[in-house]
C-alpha cells in the first residue's frame, strides 16, 4: 500500500464513495452521500454546497426561472426562496408568473398524461402542458382580470419590475394567498420578465390596450438599466438558473451590461444552472458555464456547477436538503435590500435615477 | 404472396424504401429519397413537402428563429427566405438580429472549438458560442452604433416591428449589404422580437437611454396586438419554427390572441418545427405539435412535422432542396403584403389602427 | 364553486399540489410530495409506487443496469437491491460488473472533472469516464486476475449466468467484500450479461484464451434459453431498467422469447425505466414503454413509468424513499427462488433442462 | 482595417461563411458549403473530410452500427459502404443484421407514426419502432428460418464473424438480394456482433438449441481475439460509429486489447461518431472522443469529429456527398484483405491462429 501511495497519480486523490442505502434518510443525508458519487447526482449535491457559499458570501443572488415550473408544482418552492431570501432577484418567463397568478387566484392545474387525445382536450377547451392540464376558460378569465388591473394603472410605461410589483400587490390584497408574485411583493424582491410580451400576462396587457390605446405600456429597456445597476451595487453577484431560456441570458447580460457602468465588474462569482438543454447545438439555454466565462458573464474564478436534470426532479430534493442546513447562513446573511414599489428602484436606500451615473 | 396480401394489416401499407447511394445526387434527390426512410431523416423530407403546401396555400407564413443561427452561418438562408418570400413574418431572438447586424456591418464570426480555453479567450476578449468566436470589442462598437442610431429616432415608443424596420433601413443605407434586417427592410417583411430586452440590441437601447432618458422606449405589447391582427387578415396561417424559444411561443400566441379579435380563427393550418429540445420536461421549446393542438395554437387538422435536429444541419439540405423545387409555387403565391415602415402596420392596404376593431 | 364543479371537465380531476418546502424532510416525504407535481419529478414518485406494487405482486422482477453505474457510485445500491431481494434477476453490461469487481477487490474510482486534459491523463495512464477516473494499471491487473480465474475453470462453455456466479463466489472467498457480484453469489440471484464480449470481463476471458485455446468459452445463447424459461415459471414478470442498453432489450426479449415456450405469456406486467435517451431517434435504449406494448414485451394493461433522468440523480432518492416504506412488502414477498450455482439453473426447485420442454 | 488586422486575436483566423442558398446544389456542394458554418452542420461537413483522409491513409476502417438503422432505411447505405470498401470491418447490433435479413428475404418494414395506438397494433401483431412498423408473424418466420439454418451447421462454436459470414452466404444463395449480410459475404468483409444474444438472431439460435442441445454455440470471446488481431495487422486504424451502443465500445476495445498483443498500438488514428447520446450522463454511447483519448482508445493526435445527429438525417447527405468525391481514393486504396469464410480469419494472407502469438 505504501508503494501504491507513491505510484498513485496526482489525478487520483479523492475516491468515489458508493451510495449506501439506509432506510429513513433525510433529504439532507441523501444529498450529502451524493457528494462522492458521479455524474449528475454529484452535480446536484455540489449545487447545494455552492448555494450555501452564495448565502455565506456578500453576493447578490439572481435566480432565473424558465420552463413550466409554476404549472408543474414548483411555484411554492420559488415563493419560499423569495420569502426567506435564498435569492434576491427573480428573472422569470411570463408563463411562470401567469400560472402562479392562476393558482394564487384559486384556480388549479391538473394531473394529466402525455398520451391524452389532444383533439378531445381541444373539444373540451383543456390546455395541455405535457402531463399537466388547465382550463382554457379559466385562463381567459385570468386574461380579463389582468386587463382590468392594467386599466386601473396610471397611464405611463412601467418596467416589468414595477408592473409585477403592482400586480403582486393587487393580487395579495385580493387573495392573501402565497405565491411567487405575492411573496415578491411582500418581501420587496424585484422580479424582471424580459419576454413579458411572449406570455399570457402580455396578452392581458394587449387586451387592456385594445380597450384603451394609452394603456399597457411596458418599458423592457428600463429593466436592462435596472438589472445592470443592481449588479454594481454589491461587490459580487451569483446566478441560479432553472431551465435556461430568456432568464438565463438576461441575468448574464446584467453582468455584462454592468461593465458599461463600472469596469470593475468581473462577472458572477457563483453559478448554478439546472438545465436539460445541451451545449453542442449552440443555443443559450444549454450553453456551458465555461463558455460564459469567455464572455465575462462569469468570473474566471467562479465556483459553478451545471446540473443536467429536469427542475421538477432536482429542486424538491435540493431545496429540502438546503432548507435543512441553511438556517444559520440565512439568518446571518448581509443581503441587499430593495424598495421595489416605485417608479425608481431603491437599492440599499439608494434611489436608482432614470439617468444612471457611475456607481 | 396472395395469402400474404390478404393477411397484411391495414397498418402495413407503405413500405420503407432503403436509401440508395448514387454519386452526384442533388439535395433535392437526397431529400426525395429520404421520404421513405424513418425517424428524423423522414421528418426532414416531410418538412419540405409541408413547406411546399404552405406556399401553395393562401396561408400567411410565420417563421421563428431562435438559437445562435446568425453566428452559426444561417443568416443568409433566412435573408433568402425573406427576400424570396418563402415566409411572410419573422419572429426572432434579439441575438440573431444582432449577430446579423454584426456581419452586415462587415464584422465576422470565426471558426473555433468547444475545447478552447475560456480563460485564454476571456483574456483576449473573445466571446465563444460553442465552436464559434467573435470579438468582444467589435460587439461593444456595435452596441455604441445601435445606441447612436436610437438617439436619432423621434422620442416615442416603437413596436419592435417598427424599430427593426428602421434599424434595417439605416443599416441598408449605410452598408448596402444583404442580411436578415436589410432583407426584411427591402422586402417589407415585418420582424418581431418579443425578447428584445434580452439581447445586445436591448443593451444598445439601454445605452441610448443612459445618455437620454427619453430614448429607447420599445412597445412590446404593441407587437402582440399587431401579430394577432396579422393572423386575422387571412383565412389561414402557418408556422415554421427554428430552434424553439420565445419566437415559437410568440407565433403560437398570435394565433390564440387572434381569437380575441375573431373567434373564427382556428389555429395554424401548417406547422414545421426543427428543434433539439424534447417534450418530456414540459418546456415550451420542446413541446410537441400535438400538445399545441389542445390549446388551439394549431388546428386539429393541421399538417405538421417536428424535426428533431440541429438547425445548422437540417436547414442547408432542406433549403437547398426546397429552393430547387419551389420556384413555381413562389411565383404563383398569393401572398400577404405589408407596409412595415410606419407607426401603424399596413396589411394588404389596410391600416391596422391603434385600437383594433373587429377584423 | 357549485357551478365550477359542474362545469369541470372529466379531464380535470386531480389538481397539482405545489411542492411545499419544509426543513428536515425524509427522502420518503420528499417523494410523497412529488406525486402531485409534474414532469419527471412526478414520474420518479410514480416509479416508487409501481415498484411497491411489483413487490406486493407475485411478479418475478428483472432489473437492467447499463451506463457507468458502478464507476459512478451506484454499485452498493444494486448490491442492496439484490441482497434484500427488491429484484430477482439482474441483467447488466459487462462494464458495471467489471467496475464492481474493481472496487470489491479494494481498488477505487476517483472524483475527476470533464474539463481535465485527456492527453495529460493518457500520459499518466488514467482512464476517464466523464467526471470519474481510474488507474489503467489497476485495470490491467484486474484483467490478469480474471484471466487467472478463468484458467482455473473446467474447460466447457458457461452461460454468463453460471460464469458470473462462479466469479462472484471466487471474489467473495478472496475478499469477503460486498458488491454486485458477491451479493448475487450470496443471494443466489442470477446475473446475465448479454454483451459480455464488449467489456473488460470479456478482455480477461480473451486473455485466458490466449494462454489456453480451450479456455474462455461463454454460451450467450444459453442465456436466452434460461432467461425465457425464468419468465414462464411465474404468472407475471416486471422490468426495472436503469439506463437502457442491451439489458433493457434482453429483458424485453426474455418475455418475447418466453412465448415460444408458452403462449400464455403476455408481456411484463409492471415496468419502470430510468433513461436519458429519447424515443424519436428509433433506438432501443430510448424507446417508449408504449412502443414495447406493440411488441408484446409489455402487457397492454401493464403499470408503467418512464423517468427521463440520470440514474445517479434519480436512484439515491428513489431507493432511500423506497427502502423506508417497503420493509413489510419485502418480508411478505412470495419470491422466486433460484439455485444459480450449477450448469443447470434451478428455479423453485425445478431444474431447467438443457433441452427445454413445455413449461 | 490595417489596425484591425494587427489587433485581431490569434483565435480569430478563419471566418464563418454564411451558407448561401442556390437552387440545384448537389449534396457535395451543400456539404462543402457547410464546412464554414457552425455547430453540428459544420461537424457533418468535417466528417466527410476525415473519412476522405481515412481512405487516403493506410488505416483499417472499423464501422459500428447501432440503433434501428436497417429498419429505418439505412441498410443499403451500409451495404454500399461494404461493397465499395469505404469500410473494412463492420461491428453491428444483432437487430440491424436481423432487420437486414428480413428485407433481404423479401419482407418489408413500413411507414408508421409514433401516434399510432399500440394496443391496436398489438392486436394485429404489428411491432412498432418509433414511426416504423413490421409484421410480428413475419419476424417469427425469420426466427424459424434462422433456426433451420443453424441446425444445418456443423456442431461447434462459431465466432459471430464466422457465423455471420455463413449466414450471409446462405442468404445470398437463397435470395441473390443485396443487403448488409450478403454484401459482407460477397466482399469478404468481417462482421462482428458482440451482443448477438440480445437480438432476434440470438432468438433464432436459441430456438435451434431448443431442438438440438448441441446446436447454436457462439464464441463471442473469439471475436475479441480476432478484432484485436485485426488492429495489429496494419500500422493504423480508424473508427466510424453510427449510433453508439455495443459496437462503439467493441471497436474501441479492439484497440485497447490490441495493446495486449503489441504495445506499439496507440489507439485509432481517425474517428467519426454520429450519435444522439451526450457525454454528461457517463454512458459509453454518448462519451466524447476526447475521453476516449485518456483510455488510449484513440490516439492523442487523432483527427476526430462527433456529429450530434440522428443517423437517418446525417448519413444520406454525408454518403451522397462522399460517394461523389471519393472515387479516386477508393480506387487507390491499399486496403486490408480478409478471407472471412473459415474457422480461422485470414488477414492479408496470414492465418490468425487460435492461440495468438506476437503480431
Amino acid at each position: 500500500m505504501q508503494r501504491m501511495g507513491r505510484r498513485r497519480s496526482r489525478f487520483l486523490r479523492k475516491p468515489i464513495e458508493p451510495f449506501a442505502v439506509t432506510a429513513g434518510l433525510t433529504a439532507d443525508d441523501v444529498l450529502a452521500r451524493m457528494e462522492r458519487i458521479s455524474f449528475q447526482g454529484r452535480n446536484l449535491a455540489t449545487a447545494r454546497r455552492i448555494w450555501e457559499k452564495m448565502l455565506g458570501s456578500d453576493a447578490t443572488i439572481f435566480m432565473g426561472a424558465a420552463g413550466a415550473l409554476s404549472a408543474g408544482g414548483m411555484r411554492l418552492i420559488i415563493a419560499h426562496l423569495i420569502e426567506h431570501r435564498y435569492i434576491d432577484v427573480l428573472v422569470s418567463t411570463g408563463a411562470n408568473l401567469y400560472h402562479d397568478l392562476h393558482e394564487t387566484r384559486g384556480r388549479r392545474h391538473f394531473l394529466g398524461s402525455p398520451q391524452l387525445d389532444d383533439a378531445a382536450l381541444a373539444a373540451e377547451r383543456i390546455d395541455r402542458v405535457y402531463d399537466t392540464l388547465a382550463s382554457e376558460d379559466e385562463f381567459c378569465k385570468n386574461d380579463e382580470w389582468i386587463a382590468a388591473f392594467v386599466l386601473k394603472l396610471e397611464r405611463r410605461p412601467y418596467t416589468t419590475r414595477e408592473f409585477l410589483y403592482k400586480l403582486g400587490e393587487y393580487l395579495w390584497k385580493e387573495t392573501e394567498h402565497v405565491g411567487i408574485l405575492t411573496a415578491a411583493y411582500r418581501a420587496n424582491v424585484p422580479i424582471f420578465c424580459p419576454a413579458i410580451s411572449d406570455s399570457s400576462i402580455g396578452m392581458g396587457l394587449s387586451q387592456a390596450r385594445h380597450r384603451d390605446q394609452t394603456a399597457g405600456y411596458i418599458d423592457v429597456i428600463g429593466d436592462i438599466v435596472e438589472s445592470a445597476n443592481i449588479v454594481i451595487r454589491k461587490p459580487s453577484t451569483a446566478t441560479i438558473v432553472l431551465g435556461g431560456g430568456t432568464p438565463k441570458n438576461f441575468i448574464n447580460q446584467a453582468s455584462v451590461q454592468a461593465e458599461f457602468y463600472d469596469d470593475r465588474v468581473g462577472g458572477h462569482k457563483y453559478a448554478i444552472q439546472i438545465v436539460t438543454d445541451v451545449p453542442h447545438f449552440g443555443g443559450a439555454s444549454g450553453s456551458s458555464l465555461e463558455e460564459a466565462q469567455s464572455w465575462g458573464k462569469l468570473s474566471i474564478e467562479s465556483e459553478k456547477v451545471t446540473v443536467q436534470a429536469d427542475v421538477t426532479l432536482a429542486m424538491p430534493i435540493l431545496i429540502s436538503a438546503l432548507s435543512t442546513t441553511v438556517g444559520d447562513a440565512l439568518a446571518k446573511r448581509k443581503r441587499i435590500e430593495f424598495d421595489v414599489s416605485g417608479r425608481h428602484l431603491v437599492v440599499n436606500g439608494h434611489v436608482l435615477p432614470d439617468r444612471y451615473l457611475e456607481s
Side-chain angles (χ1 to χ4, degrees), chain A:
Chain A
M1 287 307 271
Q2 179 64 23
R3 269 178 53 226
M4 178 66 82
R6 263 188 283 132
R7 271 179 37 227
R8 180 132 296 164
S9 160
R10 65 190 157 112
F11 290 114
L12 305 182
R13 293 290 182 220
K14 228 177 171 174
I16 299 289
E17 297 289 353
F19 189 94
V21 182
T22 312
L25 290 184
T26 64
D28 171 36
D29 298 330
V30 171
L31 217 50
R33 292 179 187 203
M34 289 167 71
E35 293 180 16
R36 295 289 284 270
I37 63 167
S38 301
F39 316 141
Q40 303 310 315
R42 186 202 303 168
N43 289 345
L44 186 67
T46 302
R48 191 252 294 251
R49 297 305 176 201
I50 293 181
W51 202 332
E52 287 176 339
K53 286 183 187 174
M54 288 180 189
L55 293 170
S57 80
D58 59 0
T60 298
I61 304 174
F62 289 78
M63 170 171 272
L69 303 184
S70 288
M74 298 292 104
R75 59 189 270 280
L76 294 188
I77 292 179
I78 297 173
H80 183 96
L81 297 176
I82 290 170
E83 185 182 344
H84 297 277
R85 290 299 295 273
Y86 291 68
I87 62 172
D88 301 310
V89 180
L90 180 68
V91 182
S92 178
T93 62
N96 278 323
L97 303 175
Y98 180 82
H99 295 147
D100 172 68
L101 176 149
H102 177 74
E103 293 206 4
T104 302
R105 291 189 67 229
R107 310 300 173 253
R108 307 298 290 265
H109 298 87
F110 293 86
L111 301 179
S113 151
Q115 264 79 44
L116 291 173
D117 174 353
D118 289 294
L121 293 175
E124 301 206 20
R125 297 178 59 77
I126 308 293
D127 297 339
R128 180 168 72 84
V129 178
Y130 193 60
D131 61 5
T132 298
L133 306 173
S135 158
E136 172 75 11
D137 291 330
E138 289 178 4
F139 278 178
C140 289
K141 291 216 166 61
N142 290 336
D143 300 352
E144 289 163 24
W145 185 93
I146 292 169
F149 160 73
V150 170
L151 290 166
K152 291 184 209 296
L153 294 176
E154 184 190 347
R155 298 298 185 268
R156 60 173 173 84
Y158 294 82
T159 57
T160 64
R161 184 269 310 159
E162 185 188 6
F163 173 75
L164 294 168
Y165 175 87
K166 291 188 186 304
L167 184 63
E169 178 183 38
Y170 187 75
L171 197 56
W172 175 254
K173 287 180 178 164
E174 183 171 306
T175 69
E176 294 202 349
H177 286 169
V178 174
I180 297 172
L181 285 165
T182 53
Y185 156 69
R186 295 172 76 207
N188 244 312
V189 159
I191 303 177
F192 294 99
C193 183
I196 193 166
S197 71
D198 177 38
S199 76
S200 291
I201 294 180
M203 287 169 67
L205 281 154
S206 86
Q207 293 174 20
R209 177 80 62 88
H210 178 72
R211 294 196 226 151
D212 178 347
Q213 65 176 281
T214 69
Y217 281 87
I218 295 295
D219 174 22
V220 291
I221 305 305
D223 288 336
I224 302 178
V225 176
E226 287 191 356
S227 61
N229 274 271
I230 290 171
V231 169
I232 60 179
R233 292 297 155 206
K234 293 259 280 180
S236 72
T237 51
T239 170
I240 299 165
V241 163
L242 308 180
T246 52
K248 173 178 176 175
N249 188 62
F250 188 83
I251 294 171
N252 284 337
Q253 172 182 285
S255 184
V256 173
Q257 184 61 21
E259 296 188 23
F260 177 79
Y261 297 104
D262 189 330
D263 60 15
R264 291 167 300 179
V265 172
H268 302 301
K269 297 298 183 297
Y270 304 92
I272 296 167
Q273 62 175 352
I274 303 177
V275 293
T276 53
D277 288 352
V278 291
H280 44 258
F281 303 120
S285 273
S287 63
S288 74
L289 297 174
E290 288 72 29
E291 175 178 318
Q293 292 178 313
S294 77
W295 295 76
K297 297 165 177 175
L298 250 62
S299 161
I300 291 297
E301 301 83 27
S302 60
E303 289 200 68
K304 61 191 192 301
V305 72
T306 296
V307 186
Q308 288 273 355
D310 189 347
V311 170
T312 60
L313 201 157
M315 278 299 273
I317 178 81
L318 174 58
I319 296 306
S320 296
L322 185 64
S323 67
T324 304
T325 56
V326 87
D328 215 41
L330 280 179
K332 288 189 193 159
R333 232 194 130 196
K334 274 184 268 172
R335 67 196 195 196
I336 196 168
E337 296 294 346
F338 297 102
D339 180 347
V340 185
S341 64
R343 183 163 191 169
H344 301 291
L345 181 63
V346 180
V347 181
N348 288 340
H350 182 95
V351 181
L352 297 189
D354 261 354
R355 183 158 183 284
Y356 293 87
L357 305 170
E358 290 70 82
S359 63

